[in-house]
Amino acid sequence: MTAGATDETAGTGAEDPTATGTTAGTTLPLLRAGRRYASRDGVPVPGPAGTEIALSLAPEIMIRDDAARLRAARDGLPPLPAAERVALLREATRLFRHGRVPVPGLGEQDPGGFAAAMAACAGLPAALVGRWSALLDEHASRLRPEEPDDGALTLVSLPANTFTCLEAVLDAALTSGAVWIRPSRREPLASARLAGALLAAGWPAGRIGYYPTAPAVLPALVRETTRQIVYGGPDLAARMGGPRPSLDLRGPGRACLVADATPADPEGLALRLAGLAAADAGRFCTSVCIVAVAGDAEPVARALAARFDAISLDPPDPRLPQASCPEADALATARLLDGALAAGGRVLTRRPLVNGTGGRAFLAPTVVLVEDPGHPLVGRELPFPFVVAVSTDAAGVRGVASRSRFVHHEPSAPLPEGTFH
């Protein structure tokens, strides 16, 4: 499953989704105005042997041509009133959660098949797939009619850590003339299911696109679209060439909990923290990754470490199910942490960080105790429950909070200005 062409030649693919130069197995095609298209350029989707799926990639020349074609045809698109949009989006998320959905390239897929695919591709246990599907359905239930901007072509470029970010696709579809989805190359299956559900619900084919690309082609998608919602970190922002009025770059959340003194009830606080940090496999931007204490953080850090060590990885914990990842990624994370701990700090959890063999592994929920709020691990977001507890002073607590987007606080700790909770 290797790339069969460069970006410059990949536009000569085939509209028959089985005709592809990427793999002899299943190919996940592009959607161009509702038509399936298997490019000759592609990458393998992660998964165990026997579940090979290749993801088609759109070259830059195709993106330019399709955007120009859509702009030329914009006035000819059938009208889609706001109230009808809401009804269709709600039906699409209902199908996504409960229905049999024709997924381009994969065929008919029921919820059980989707859960199995997400377990194989993204290491997500069925309980998390069900919970996240429900969250997406609930988001659609809160949508309200708005006047659409039919002149806008909106890009939504998605992350791999959680498919709840598909809510951005729903929001964009509510207010845009058309939406192009750029899935993560590491987890494209959930967005492919949503695209299939939208079409099955009756969403006009000309108003939805599915354009996976190589990283180097993302700037072309940004240039050719009117508005952009892009998930990524500082490195991605630099590749975009600086701020753009139309670009909504959604980066790390850096959620923390602050306390203005050594907590009087470390066990009770650790119980609260376990949910804030380890729910949703620690993959949300709201998952707490820092505990900053103006005093001694060790009592609460040790209590949290004990709770983390009690979380079952395989089989999944019924209260806090965790996700697995490719073993190579787990080992790379372990090397990263080993390097960062050279700056100081103690790991308080007792299990090995990497657990599992056979190509996939679990990263065990981990607590690290440090005494420097400027430590390189403070604020580092990783795709599993990972908490750095900092023993510092009042100024250190304020500094940590000021660099965080989401701040939880003990009742006696003031909430710094400009933060969320």
Side-chain angles (χ1 to χ4, degrees):
M1 293 184 292
T2 57
T6 66
D7 281 347
E8 286 72 24
T9 61
T12 58
E15 291 181 4
D16 174 3
T18 64
T20 174
T22 60
T23 179
T26 301
T27 297
L28 201 61
L30 288 77
L31 280 177
R32 306 170 64 194
R35 300 179 67 186
R36 294 180 293 178
Y37 187 97
S39 171
R40 291 198 177 102
D41 192 9
V43 291
V45 175
T51 61
E52 288 84 0
I53 299 174
L55 176 66
S56 289
L57 298 179
E60 185 169 343
I61 189 172
M62 177 191 294
I63 290 164
R64 289 198 304 266
D65 289 350
D66 286 5
R69 192 175 297 115
L70 182 59
R71 286 192 292 268
R74 183 177 59 199
D75 294 338
L77 290 174
L80 191 59
E84 185 178 349
R85 289 176 186 241
V86 170
L88 290 176
L89 291 171
R90 289 177 179 172
E91 174 61 11
T93 57
R94 186 196 67 79
L95 288 171
F96 183 97
R97 182 181 180 186
H98 298 296
R100 290 185 62 85
V101 175
V103 181
L106 301 181
E108 291 278 337
Q109 185 189 67
D110 62 16
F114 176 54
M118 294 303 289
C121 170
L124 296 180
L128 269 186
V129 174
R131 169 170 159 73
W132 292 359
S133 297
L135 289 175
L136 198 63
D137 198 14
E138 290 165 11
H139 182 81
S141 73
R142 295 191 295 269
L143 295 177
R144 295 294 180 267
E146 298 183 31
E147 283 301 317
D149 177 4
D150 287 330
L153 169 57
T154 299
L155 166 70
V156 181
S157 182
L158 294 162
N161 58 313
T162 169
F163 66 78
T164 57
C165 292
L166 287 170
E167 66 183 31
V169 174
L170 305 179
D171 295 341
L174 184 62
T175 58
S176 302
V179 178
W180 282 3
I181 301 170
R182 179 185 182 262
S184 161
R185 298 194 300 162
R186 298 174 67 84
E187 193 289 278
L189 302 185
S191 51
R193 180 172 173 83
L194 181 61
L198 283 165
L199 293 174
W203 194 264
R207 295 184 183 272
I208 188 73
Y210 185 81
Y211 286 85
T213 73
V217 182
L218 176 57
L221 273 171
V222 171
R223 287 194 302 270
E224 296 296 332
T225 51
T226 314
R227 294 193 296 261
Q228 306 85 27
I229 300 170
V230 178
Y231 290 86
D235 291 346
L236 181 59
R239 293 209 307 271
M240 294 298 99
R244 303 169 63 100
S246 63
L247 176 61
D248 179 1
L249 183 62
R250 301 185 179 180
R254 296 191 180 90
C256 73
L257 183 143
V258 299
D260 64 357
T262 302
D265 179 14
E267 292 290 343
L269 182 53
L271 177 61
R272 178 185 175 201
L273 273 169
L276 291 172
D280 299 300
R283 294 193 173 196
F284 283 10
C285 64
T286 53
S287 298
V288 166
C289 61
I290 314 167
V291 177
V293 177
D296 187 3
E298 184 164 352
V300 68
R302 288 198 176 279
L304 178 61
R307 291 193 175 276
F308 271 10
D309 282 335
I311 295 173
S312 174
L313 302 177
D314 188 13
D317 190 297
R319 299 159 302 169
L320 298 170
Q322 300 302 302
S324 66
C325 64
E327 187 176 7
D329 289 358
L331 293 173
T333 299
R335 289 192 295 271
L336 181 153
L337 293 182
D338 284 344
L341 284 170
R346 288 179 286 156
V347 177
L348 301 185
T349 35
R350 295 183 178 275
R351 281 184 291 193
L353 177 64
V354 179
N355 299 261
T357 57
R360 296 202 72 86
F362 289 90
L363 287 161
T366 298
V367 178
V368 173
L369 180 66
V370 303
E371 295 183 355
D372 176 9
H375 191 285
L377 287 177
V378 175
R380 185 67 184 252
E381 288 190 324
L382 297 171
F384 73 107
F386 177 75
V387 173
V388 178
V390 188
S391 297
T392 183
D393 54 20
V397 166
R398 288 194 297 270
V400 168
S402 70
R403 298 191 300 272
S404 303
R405 186 178 179 192
F406 302 98
V407 178
H408 303 267
H409 59 104
E410 287 298 274
S412 59
L415 184 66
E417 287 188 27
T419 57
F420 298 82
H421 70 290

